[in-house]
Each structure stands twice: as C-alpha cells, then as structure tokens.
Amino acid sequence: QLSHHNDVERALVLFYEVRDKGLDAEGHVFSQLLNLLCRDGATAHVDHVDNVVAVMKQRGVPLVESSGKAMVAMQLSLGDIDGAFSTVQELAASGQPLRRRILRPVLQAVCGLGEDQKVTEVLKLFGSSSVDLEEDEFVELLALCLGDKDVKS
C-alpha cells in the first residue's frame, strides 16, 4: 500500500511505465495513486493528477469516492472551483456515493462564486445522494450560500 512521501516518486515511475507500455492495472491502483498525490489537498503533483485522470478516462476506470474526495480537496486548494464542481458531477454520474465531506466544501465554494445554477446543481446532488439532511443542516447550508444574511426569519 502506498502511504509514505517517499512512495510518491516510486509510484509515479510505476504509473508512467504502466501508461507508456500499455500495461494492465486494476482500477484501485489508479485510485490509490490519486489518493497519494492529492493527500491533504496537496497541490505539488497537479500535472501528474491530470495524467492519471486522463489514463483512467481512456481506460474506462471510474473515479471512486475516496480519490474523488482527495481530488476535490486539491482542486479547492488551488482555487479550481469549476474543477471541483466537475469532479463532483463526475462522481454523481458514475453512481458513486456523495457524502457531506465532498459536497459541503464544494457547495461553500460555488456559493462564493454567486453562480446560482451551480449552487442549485450541488443542492440537487445533496438531494439525490444518500445524505439525509435535517432541517437545521439545510438551514446551515443555505446560510453558507447567503453569507451573513439571516435565513431563519
């Protein structure tokens, strides 16, 4: 299992060998690599992440929830709100479970853009996901979108 910082370089060498030689690799290998490259919202490996995602798409390997969450964190760290929004849409389209830990930061980011259509789309993803929102949680999410305005009145 890839987990240490030193593993990044070794994992990238293996990834590019798999890619360049057209070798088979199971989907979880790509997911582990994405998790490693995007760990804690790290942004040092953005180009490599783009390459891994491109190979996954080329090979029909779907993005999974854990690596999607890591990618969203990295994209938001970079200020790439559109990228994070697209990643969440891709996860939803592939049937992956969408949880608060993915949707909430994306909702907060799109609310900051003031693009109502994206806000609506993320709220729809909350509604279509396995996330059951209590009334107070929904009010809190609306408050994120409205800023300091009073949503309880």
Side-chain angles (χ1 to χ4, degrees):
Q1 181 157 354
L2 302 173
S3 60
H4 300 302
H5 179 69
N6 295 342
D7 289 336
V8 171
E9 294 306 317
R10 205 173 60 187
L12 286 171
V13 167
L14 291 172
F15 163 72
Y16 287 111
E17 185 174 336
V18 165
R19 182 195 70 177
D20 296 343
K21 293 182 178 180
L23 302 174
D24 287 334
E26 293 185 26
H28 70 88
V29 172
F30 295 109
S31 295
Q32 266 193 324
L33 181 56
L34 283 177
N35 288 338
L36 183 64
L37 294 173
C38 300
R39 178 168 288 148
D40 301 323
T43 59
H45 304 291
V46 175
D47 292 337
H48 299 298
V49 169
D50 291 342
N51 290 334
V52 172
V53 170
V55 169
M56 288 174 70
K57 286 181 181 180
Q58 180 184 43
R59 293 180 178 207
V61 176
L63 189 61
V64 297
E65 190 263 344
S66 63
S67 50
K69 177 186 177 287
M71 281 183 57
V72 164
M74 181 201 69
Q75 290 162 325
L76 292 175
S77 293
L78 291 166
D80 183 9
I81 297 168
D82 289 335
F85 180 74
S86 293
T87 298
V88 165
Q89 287 182 308
E90 183 179 335
L91 284 168
S94 70
Q96 291 296 311
L98 295 172
R99 297 186 174 97
R100 282 179 185 86
R101 64 185 183 193
I102 293 176
L103 292 173
R104 185 184 174 94
V106 174
L107 178 62
Q108 189 169 5
V110 296
C111 286
L113 292 176
E115 294 182 25
D116 292 343
Q117 184 176 357
K118 286 184 180 176
V119 171
T120 301
E121 287 299 315
V122 177
L123 287 172
K124 283 181 184 177
L125 291 174
F126 263 103
S128 65
S129 70
S130 60
V131 177
D132 291 327
L133 295 176
E134 299 294 325
E135 182 180 350
D136 59 333
E137 291 174 298
F138 187 72
V139 169
E140 184 182 347
L141 291 172
L142 286 175
L144 282 174
C145 294
L146 297 174
D148 294 333
K149 297 176 186 172
D150 183 13
V151 294
K152 292 185 180 183
S153 55

